[in-house]
Amino acid sequence: MEQLPKHIGIIMDGNGRWAKARGLKRSQGHIAGADNLKKLLRHIQKWDIPYISIYAFSSENFKRSEEEVSGLMKLFVTLFQKEFQFLKKENVRVCFSGRKEPLPEKVLQSMDKIQEETKLATGATLNICLNYGGQDEIVDAMKKIGKQLKDGVLDINQIDRSVVEKNLYQNLPPLDFVIRTSGEKRISNFMLWQSAYAEYYFPEVYFPDFNEEEFDRAIEVYQSRDRRYGGIKDENKNS
Ligand code: IPE
Ligand code: IPE
Ligand code: MG
C-alpha cells in the first residue's frame, strides 16, 4: 500500500519522562514537546495529509497537580495566541474537540480566536483534542441525538452511523493512522469512534524527540500495513 493516510492522529506522550531523563522539571518537558510540535506541524505540511488530530490534554489530565495543569494551560494560551500564527500562512484550519468545562476563560478565548482566524483556510485541518475524552464525546453525541428525538426533529429509525458522526465534536473522516509516542501501548480514551479501523504505531521515543525523521519513518510503517476492513485481499477472494 503506497497510499498516504487521509487522517492521522498523534497521541503526544512522554514529555514528563523526557524531562526526568534530563534532570529537568515536567513543565520543561511540555515546553520541549510544544517546540517539537511546531516543527512537526511545519514538516507535515510537506506531506499531502488533509486531517491531523493531536491529543493535547485529556479530560483525565485534570487529575494532575495544580502546578502542572496551570503550566499547561498557560502554554496553550501562548501556543494559540503566538506560536501557532505560522499556521495561518500555511493555510491550516484549526478546530478543537473536547468539553469547555472546566477550561479557564483565557484558554477558551485563545481557542476561539485561532479557530475564528483560520476558519476560512482551505489547506489541512488541525483538530486539537483539548480537555477531550473519547467516551465523553460519544456521551455528548448521545445527548444531542436524545434532544433531537425529544424535539421531534429526528425519528429513532433514522439513527445510523452517519447520524452519530454528525453529532460528534467535529466533522472529520475516520482516522487511518494513530501514532502514540513514548512506548505506551494504549489509546487512553483518544477518538474511540473515529479510530475503529485505524492502524496503530507505537514508537519508543518520547514526544519531544519524535522529529521529522521519526515522522517519515511512521509514514513508511503505515504504507507497509495491509488494511482489510474485515474483508479479504482481492487476489485471495476466489481461492
Ligand atoms: C504528554 O506527556 C503530555 C500530556 C499528557 C499533556 P506526559 O506529561 O504524559 O508525559 P509522561 O507520560 O509523564 O512521560
Ligand atoms: C494521554 O497521555 C493524553 C495525552 C497525550 C494528552 P497520558 O499520559 O495522560 O495517558 P496515560 O495516563 O499514560 O494513560
Ligand atoms: Mg503520559
Side-chain angles (χ1 to χ4, degrees), residues 122-165:
T122 52
T125 295
L126 174 66
N127 170 47
I128 305 177
C129 295
L130 205 168
N131 190 23
Y132 174 85
Q135 291 179 328
D136 286 345
E137 177 169 31
I138 296 169
V139 168
D140 290 348
M142 287 169 80
K143 283 188 183 164
K144 285 187 224 164
I145 292 169
K147 185 167 186 310
Q148 289 157 35
L149 291 174
K150 197 170 147 223
D151 293 347
V153 293
L154 182 74
D155 184 81
I156 194 156
N157 296 313
Q158 290 174 299
I159 300 177
D160 59 8
R161 277 183 243 166
S162 80
V163 169
V164 177
E165 261 148 33

Side-chain angles (χ1 to χ4, degrees), residues 4 14 16 26 90 96 109 117 130 141 150 179 183 217-218 222:
L4 285 173
R26 291 183 63 82
E90 304 263 5
F96 291 89
Q109 279 168 8
E117 287 170 346
L130 205 168
K150 197 170 147 223
I179 301 168
R217 188 169 309 142
Y222 175 79

Side-chain angles (χ1 to χ4, degrees), residues 9-20:
I10 308 179
I11 304 175
M12 308 183 291
D13 197 18
N15 293 347
R17 279 164 284 164
W18 181 92
K20 193 172 175 212

Side-chain angles (χ1 to χ4, degrees), residues 34-53:
D35 284 344
N36 186 52
L37 175 63
K38 269 172 44 191
K39 275 194 277 170
L40 209 53
L41 288 174
R42 274 186 208 278
H43 179 68
I44 297 175
Q45 296 314 304
K46 294 184 197 141
W47 288 92
D48 190 17
I49 298 172
Y51 295 90
I52 303 138
S53 287

Side-chain angles (χ1 to χ4, degrees), residues 8-238:
I8 199 164
I10 308 179
I11 304 175
M12 308 183 291
D13 197 18
N15 293 347
R17 279 164 284 164
W18 181 92
K20 193 172 175 212
R22 284 161 181 77
L24 303 170
K25 287 174 41 183
R26 291 183 63 82
S27 58
Q28 288 170 291
H30 294 313
I31 291 168
D35 284 344
N36 186 52
L37 175 63
K38 269 172 44 191
K39 275 194 277 170
L40 209 53
L41 288 174
R42 274 186 208 278
H43 179 68
I44 297 175
Q45 296 314 304
K46 294 184 197 141
W47 288 92
D48 190 17
I49 298 172
Y51 295 90
I52 303 138
S53 287
I54 54 172
Y55 207 178
F57 192 88
S58 74
S59 16
E60 291 77 21
N61 287 147
F62 274 111
K63 290 180 194 160
R64 297 187 181 192
S65 72
E66 210 281 312
E67 186 191 355
E68 180 166 358
V69 171
S70 66
L72 278 164
M73 294 299 145
K74 274 201 197 110
L75 188 57
F76 293 142
V77 174
T78 318
L79 281 177
F80 306 149
Q81 282 185 348
K82 280 216 293 276
E83 310 276 337
F84 275 7
Q85 288 301 312
F86 76 94
L87 292 174
K88 288 194 216 162
K89 278 195 216 101
E90 304 263 5
N91 200 18
V92 173
R93 184 175 73 90
V94 177
C95 64
F96 291 89
S97 291
R99 287 186 180 166
K100 290 193 169 174
E101 270 285 306
L103 288 173
E105 195 52 42
K106 263 197 126 172
V107 176
L108 290 170
Q109 279 168 8
S110 67
M111 289 162 68
D112 282 348
K113 190 159 176 277
I114 190 154
Q115 204 159 218
E116 187 60 29
E117 287 170 346
T118 62
K119 72 176 180 198
L120 299 176
T122 52
T125 295
L126 174 66
N127 170 47
I128 305 177
C129 295
L130 205 168
N131 190 23
Y132 174 85
Q135 291 179 328
D136 286 345
E137 177 169 31
I138 296 169
V139 168
D140 290 348
M142 287 169 80
K143 283 188 183 164
K144 285 187 224 164
I145 292 169
K147 185 167 186 310
Q148 289 157 35
L149 291 174
K150 197 170 147 223
D151 293 347
V153 293
L154 182 74
D155 184 81
I156 194 156
N157 296 313
Q158 290 174 299
I159 300 177
D160 59 8
R161 277 183 243 166
S162 80
V163 169
V164 177
E165 261 148 33
K166 274 189 211 111
N167 286 282
L168 295 174
Y169 293 134
Q170 297 292 340
N171 183 17
L172 300 165
L175 276 162
D176 298 301
F177 193 38
V178 174
I179 301 168
R180 180 176 188 144
T181 58
S182 91
E184 304 292 1
K185 291 166 188 70
R186 53 177 173 265
I187 57 172
S188 302
N189 211 3
F190 179 65
M191 301 190 86
L192 302 178
W193 177 280
Q194 298 87 341
S195 63
Y197 265 102
E199 294 292 326
Y200 283 90
Y201 176 55
F202 301 103
E204 291 294 322
V205 289
Y206 298 136
F207 185 71
D209 292 331
F210 186 75
N211 56 20
E212 294 95 326
E213 218 183 320
E214 291 283 345
F215 183 83
D216 294 352
R217 188 169 309 142
I219 297 295
E220 263 176 51
V221 168
Y222 175 79
Q223 291 180 324
S224 72
R225 301 278 175 90
D226 177 16
R227 303 184 77 192
R228 290 192 288 272
Y229 298 98
I232 44 175
K233 278 179 118 176
D234 279 350
E235 65 255 34
N236 296 329
K237 252 186 187 154
N238 300 315

